[in-house]
Amino acid sequence: MFSRTQHALLVLWYLAVQQQHVTECRDIILEVQNVTCEKYTNHLRCIECHFVKLATNSYGITTQIIFDNDMGRSFKSRISVDIMPINSKQIIHMADIRFNVCVFLKQMVNNQVIEALSKEFKRVANLPQSCPFKKNVLYESKNFTLTDKYVPTYLALMNFTFKVELFNKNVIIGMWQIDGGTRARKNKN
């Protein structure tokens, strides 16, 4: 058995190793290579998107959308996240979530899982608090700030694709996508 002193030293060593590991894991750079959006049907009068690098690990993403008719109960979305670890050719499907947008708007306020994202969207977007999304109204998210705080620290260095698809009556009407990755921060030795 370990003495109390040996046990304490072992615990301190473990905590030091863990702290070093956490620091190394957080020592990543988030890169956004591309933001694209696509209009598939005339249900969208307009869909536009672009991004700008604000600083290391910080990007401003702007999206704009105008619908050709009111979007209510039939308005659905699918969010998918795919990653491919560096030095791998295997794509890992991290998330594939389908939901009714009107139900989501009601629950977004109280959802702890997406609390940080919903706060940022409230800050930068003019989304309605409930459906319908009105026709001929410009819905816009100006400079949504995407930073490394949204990237879990336990993930390996990787490339990723974050995609949001929009549906009306189960027919895809549009999509926007963020392509990027995480890279190791270069040492300044």
Side-chain angles (χ1 to χ4, degrees), residues 100-147:
N100 181 293
V101 175
C102 295
V103 172
F104 178 77
L105 284 175
K106 289 179 185 176
Q107 296 175 347
M108 188 168 82
V109 177
N110 301 322
N111 191 321
Q112 292 178 340
V113 174
I114 60 166
E115 183 178 11
L117 289 172
S118 68
K119 283 182 182 177
E120 181 65 9
F121 266 116
K122 286 178 187 177
R123 185 182 75 79
V124 299
N126 67 334
L127 296 178
Q129 292 185 2
S130 63
C131 280
F133 282 75
K134 299 288 187 183
K135 73 176 184 176
N136 298 326
V137 172
L138 175 64
Y139 292 102
E140 183 173 40
S141 172
K142 289 184 182 179
N143 285 323
F144 176 91
T145 306
L146 179 64
T147 68

Side-chain angles (χ1 to χ4, degrees), residues 22-189:
V22 167
T23 301
E24 288 171 1
C25 289
R26 291 180 188 246
D27 206 15
I28 62 168
I29 294 176
L30 172 68
E31 293 179 340
V32 172
Q33 282 102 24
N34 201 17
V35 175
T36 56
C37 48
E38 191 76 35
K39 173 182 161 180
Y40 295 126
T41 70
N42 289 333
H43 287 294
L44 293 179
R45 286 191 48 222
C46 164
I47 185 169
E48 293 182 16
C49 55
H50 67 275
F51 77 100
V52 63
K53 183 174 182 176
L54 303 171
T56 301
N57 289 325
S58 183
Y59 296 85
I61 299 173
T62 298
T63 58
Q64 299 176 329
I65 192 167
I66 300 173
F67 298 101
D68 79 329
N69 57 36
D70 289 353
M71 299 293 284
R73 293 178 182 228
S74 63
F75 186 26
K76 297 178 182 162
S77 187
R78 174 181 179 234
I79 295 176
S80 60
V81 180
D82 294 332
I83 67 168
M84 185 167 42
I86 300 296
N87 301 325
S88 174
K89 296 192 187 309
Q90 181 69 35
I91 294 174
I92 301 169
H93 304 290
M94 291 289 292
D96 190 347
I97 304 165
R98 298 165 195 260
F99 56 92
N100 181 293
V101 175
C102 295
V103 172
F104 178 77
L105 284 175
K106 289 179 185 176
Q107 296 175 347
M108 188 168 82
V109 177
N110 301 322
N111 191 321
Q112 292 178 340
V113 174
I114 60 166
E115 183 178 11
L117 289 172
S118 68
K119 283 182 182 177
E120 181 65 9
F121 266 116
K122 286 178 187 177
R123 185 182 75 79
V124 299
N126 67 334
L127 296 178
Q129 292 185 2
S130 63
C131 280
F133 282 75
K134 299 288 187 183
K135 73 176 184 176
N136 298 326
V137 172
L138 175 64
Y139 292 102
E140 183 173 40
S141 172
K142 289 184 182 179
N143 285 323
F144 176 91
T145 306
L146 179 64
T147 68
D148 59 343
K149 75 178 180 181
Y150 297 117
V151 179
T153 58
Y154 55 82
L155 288 179
L157 300 180
M158 65 181 167
N159 294 313
F160 67 83
T161 299
F162 176 87
K163 184 187 288 188
V164 178
E165 295 170 310
L166 307 173
F167 297 86
N168 184 27
K169 298 180 183 172
N170 296 322
V171 174
I172 190 167
I173 60 174
M175 161 299 281
W176 65 272
Q177 177 174 309
I178 302 171
D179 295 304
T182 57
R183 305 290 178 256
R185 188 180 304 272
K186 294 179 181 171
N187 293 332
K188 296 179 181 179
N189 291 338

